[in-house]
Amino acid sequence: MAQTHSHVPAASHPSPKAVLQLLKPITWFPPMWAYACGAVASGAGMGERWLPIALGIVLAGPLLCGTSQAVNDWFDRHVDAINEPDRVIPSGRMPGQWGLFVAIAMSILSMAIAALLGPLVFGAALVGLAMAWGYSAPPFRFKQNGWLGNGVVGLSYETLPWITAATAALGHAPSGMTIMVAILYGLGAHGILTLNDFKSIKGDHEMGVDTLPVLHGPRNAARIACLVMATTQLGVILLLAQAGLTTGAALVGLVLVLQVLCMLRFLRDPEGRAVWYSAVGVGLYVSGMMAAAIALRSMPLATATVG
């Protein structure tokens, strides 16, 4: 007897759930947290500025970070078909060119909200959007090289929102100390992003995406990631100690020690424990960020300089 198959026509447009999956809410936390750190580190009073600060956090997370995720998934759809075929675009839940349309719409919405927050935030958001598109889209496609691509994302996710928030809270550029700490945490995020590359080694190798695990092998890439994260935090500790912020330096030092203990376990099985370390080690990393921000807040604005 011939077997019949029911045919379900492909959807012509994505569901709201598919759009949310494309924007990946789980990725919004780092830039939102960095923006909050910048606002705290500024030392400015926030009682009357809660609305622009809240809008800035939304801009950093759901809007700009969500846009970057949509852009990345659109231009990575062929790689994802190999690495993660269940993702929203290769699986067909985001049909046709809707992934690109969502990325463009989110870019426009991000700039509209940024414009409401003033020219400084608008300019920073424009830089962030340029990095987001340049990271994934040709002809730049920074992600083709793990050293460059991860550096761009680290600075976009940590340094840029931190400095933007501090600038928006103060109405002018923050102290040299704040800028240096924000840069160090952005550079350290390069290691965090390398951890994320472990899950897609096979597809990245086939598609010629030179992540650090592809370029140097999983074990060496893990060593590089740990070294980058540890040395940048050590730099933060030295800066805080030099400025007399000993409590902040001690707290960041404590979370660094805990991370090093986790790193030793991660390095014994990089591919098997990359996801575990991303959950545990990164949580400690961002805790240190807030500890540093609180320490900077306690420094008088007039003396919050480097040197």
Side-chain angles (χ1 to χ4, degrees):
M1 180 181 293
Q3 186 176 4
T4 59
H5 299 273
S6 60
H7 176 68
V8 179
S12 59
H13 60 275
S15 66
K17 180 180 178 181
V19 174
L20 188 62
Q21 288 174 332
L22 182 69
L23 302 179
K24 296 188 187 67
I26 196 171
T27 67
W28 300 348
F29 172 75
M32 293 172 70
W33 185 259
Y35 197 97
C37 286
V40 169
S42 72
M46 297 182 198
E48 70 284 359
R49 296 188 60 81
W50 68 268
L51 181 57
I53 289 172
L55 277 177
I57 292 173
V58 171
L59 175 66
L63 296 180
L64 287 174
C65 184
T67 297
S68 73
Q69 297 301 321
V71 172
N72 185 63
D73 271 25
W74 173 254
F75 289 103
D76 261 14
R77 60 195 186 280
H78 304 301
V79 179
D80 289 340
I82 299 170
N83 288 325
E84 299 174 89
D86 289 335
R87 276 197 175 188
V88 65
I89 293 179
S91 69
R93 300 194 305 280
M94 181 70 59
Q97 293 189 307
W98 272 98
L100 179 61
F101 298 155
V102 171
I104 293 172
M106 289 294 294
S107 297
I108 295 170
L109 179 60
S110 297
M111 297 315 297
I113 297 299
L116 295 176
L117 295 172
L120 293 173
V121 175
F122 183 82
L126 191 60
V127 171
L129 271 180
M131 288 182 172
W133 282 87
Y135 175 77
S136 301
F140 300 107
R141 200 159 165 77
F142 300 134
K143 72 174 299 174
Q144 287 292 126
N145 182 282
W147 287 104
L148 177 60
N150 288 356
V152 166
V153 175
L155 293 173
S156 299
Y157 273 35
E158 306 296 350
T159 302
L160 188 61
W162 184 309
I163 295 175
T164 301
T167 301
L170 292 168
H172 56 78
S175 69
M177 172 73 75
T178 295
I179 292 172
M180 286 297 297
V181 169
I183 290 172
L184 284 169
Y185 275 116
L187 292 174
H190 189 291
I192 295 173
L193 291 153
T194 297
L195 299 175
N196 192 52
D197 292 331
F198 278 84
K199 71 179 186 300
S200 56
I201 294 173
K202 180 177 181 291
D204 289 339
H205 182 76
E206 290 183 19
M207 300 300 293
V209 179
D210 291 332
T211 63
L212 265 62
V214 170
L215 285 172
H216 305 291
R219 192 163 298 278
N220 285 333
R223 290 169 179 157
I224 293 169
C226 291
L227 183 64
V228 168
M229 288 185 285
T231 54
T232 51
Q233 290 174 89
L234 182 59
V236 172
I237 293 167
L238 293 175
L239 280 175
L240 294 177
Q242 180 189 22
L245 303 175
T246 53
T247 300
L251 288 173
V252 178
L254 175 61
V255 296
L256 178 56
V257 168
L258 295 174
Q259 286 171 76
V260 169
L261 295 175
C262 294
M263 287 174 183
L264 294 174
R265 184 168 187 262
F266 164 58
L267 289 171
R268 288 197 290 269
D269 181 16
E271 289 187 84
R273 292 177 178 155
V275 174
W276 169 81
Y277 186 78
S278 291
V280 178
V282 174
L284 291 168
Y285 184 92
V286 298
S287 298
M289 285 175 57
M290 185 57 76
I294 293 171
L296 289 170
R297 181 175 181 81
S298 68
M299 174 177 283
L301 294 178
T303 60
T305 56
V306 178

